[in-house]
Amino acid sequence: MRVDDLRNQLRRRGVSGISALRKPELVKTLANTLRAESRGGGAARRPTGPAGRAAATKKAAAKKAPAKRTAAAKAVPAAKVTGARAKKAAPAKRAAAKKAAPAKRAAAKKAPAAKRAAPTKKAAAKKAPAAKRAAPAKKAAVSRARGATATAGAGRRTAVSPGGTAATPVRTGGSSARSVRSSQQITSLQDRPERPGRSLVTANHEVIQRWARDRGAKPATIAGTEREGRPGVLTFNIPGYRESSRIREITWDDWFRTFDLRGLNLIYQEQMRDGRQSNFFRTENPNREDA
């Protein structure tokens, strides 16, 4: 088709601004218009340009055509210049991209390290609550250990009996002697034997001192059983009862210090079955038959 035919086809279809277009551009425009019509299902066309105006309007458009051609001609060199500048700028962009590539690679290498560090932080966060939960258990273990030490080495408890004096529980071990299990426990001065002749057991200092005072007994040890300057076997020096040249009197402080350090109990009697005063006693280790 000739150029005029192409323009006529486009004008019929309401396409405006085609006066300054050359044949290749007219062909493309017509092809695009035909495609649009086929997609639109052959919808009615509205004249949008010179085709829908009066003849005088067409003449005016023809007069304006040379000006449009001049503008188009000027635009082509400008486009060529712009393309030339873009070509010149391309090497510079490539060089900048090459320089930036090592930095990007380094950042990419650091990224996995950061990702690996993130789980470590999460693990630390998970361990933190576990450590907090473990803290009470440790405190409880320390408290139990101190309680065991206090039971084995302390002379008195802070617990108070109904009468107002300090109460000391009887010490027990992994295999307490049968005599401890079968004896009545005396934990304070307010406790009394259930009956005459009853076997008693205590670790209370005041109860032991009262029992010794009632009999005129003095704290003592057996000579030759000392250990590194400390008293050995603990006993009492009771006038007229179990007298021996090996008995050596010591202070109550030394006697009770050794008594508590070894975690001992005192098994004793207040009265015999007939009601008379009894002098029977012996120290006992809760893990052995006697001490």
Side-chain angles (χ1 to χ4, degrees):
M1 295 177 68
R2 292 181 298 175
V3 173
D4 293 337
D5 296 333
L6 293 171
R7 286 181 182 146
N8 290 333
Q9 291 285 342
L10 291 170
R11 288 192 187 100
R12 288 174 194 161
R13 286 167 172 77
V15 179
S16 61
I18 58 175
S19 300
L21 299 179
R22 296 180 181 181
K23 187 173 181 178
E25 296 168 344
L26 292 170
V27 172
K28 289 182 182 179
T29 304
L30 181 58
N32 292 334
T33 303
L34 293 174
R35 287 194 198 99
E37 288 180 357
S38 63
R39 289 179 195 144
R45 297 183 298 276
R46 296 181 189 176
T48 58
R53 297 179 185 174
T57 307
K58 290 182 181 180
K59 291 178 182 178
K63 289 180 181 179
K64 291 180 181 179
K68 290 183 179 179
R69 289 192 194 123
T70 304
K74 289 181 180 179
V76 172
K80 291 181 180 178
V81 172
T82 305
R85 288 177 184 169
K87 288 180 181 179
K88 289 181 180 179
K93 288 183 179 179
R94 291 194 199 107
K98 288 181 180 179
K99 289 181 181 178
K104 288 182 179 179
R105 290 188 197 125
K109 289 181 180 178
K110 289 181 180 178
K115 289 181 181 178
R116 288 194 297 270
T120 305
K121 290 181 180 179
K122 290 179 182 176
K126 289 180 181 179
K127 288 180 181 178
K132 289 181 181 179
R133 289 193 296 271
K138 288 183 180 179
K139 289 180 182 178
V142 171
S143 299
R144 285 196 296 271
R146 288 177 180 171
T149 304
T151 301
R156 301 171 188 264
R157 263 186 76 182
T158 55
V160 177
S161 66
T165 59
T168 306
V170 173
R171 297 176 177 120
T172 58
S175 56
S176 297
R178 284 177 297 176
S179 55
V180 173
R181 295 194 297 270
S182 61
S183 300
Q184 177 187 342
Q185 295 188 14
I186 305 296
T187 61
S188 69
L189 293 173
Q190 281 66 44
D191 294 338
R192 290 289 182 268
E194 297 170 350
R195 62 180 184 276
R198 184 76 165 94
S199 177
L200 310 174
V201 59
T202 188
N204 186 284
H205 293 190
E206 294 176 339
V207 171
I208 295 172
Q209 284 182 311
R210 183 185 63 182
W211 182 89
R213 185 173 57 251
D214 291 345
R215 290 156 181 77
K218 302 294 183 182
T221 185
I222 303 298
T225 62
E226 296 85 351
R227 301 174 186 176
E228 299 178 358
R230 297 192 302 270
V233 176
L234 297 180
T235 186
F236 293 104
N237 185 14
I238 303 176
Y241 181 77
R242 292 185 181 176
E243 293 182 348
S244 172
S245 59
R246 296 184 60 195
I247 293 178
R248 182 174 64 85
E249 294 185 5
I250 58 177
T251 64
W252 277 116
D253 288 341
D254 289 341
W255 198 95
F256 282 126
R257 188 181 300 112
T258 303
F259 183 81
D260 294 333
L261 183 63
R262 296 177 187 169
L264 304 178
N265 294 318
L266 181 71
I267 296 177
Y268 67 104
Q269 278 183 328
E270 287 284 356
Q271 295 175 318
M272 293 184 285
R273 290 185 179 180
D274 58 6
R276 291 180 298 166
Q277 187 181 69
S278 173
N279 291 332
F280 168 78
F281 73 90
R282 67 182 176 87
T283 56
E284 180 268 349
N285 187 303
N287 291 313
R288 299 198 307 271
E289 278 295 323
D290 57 48

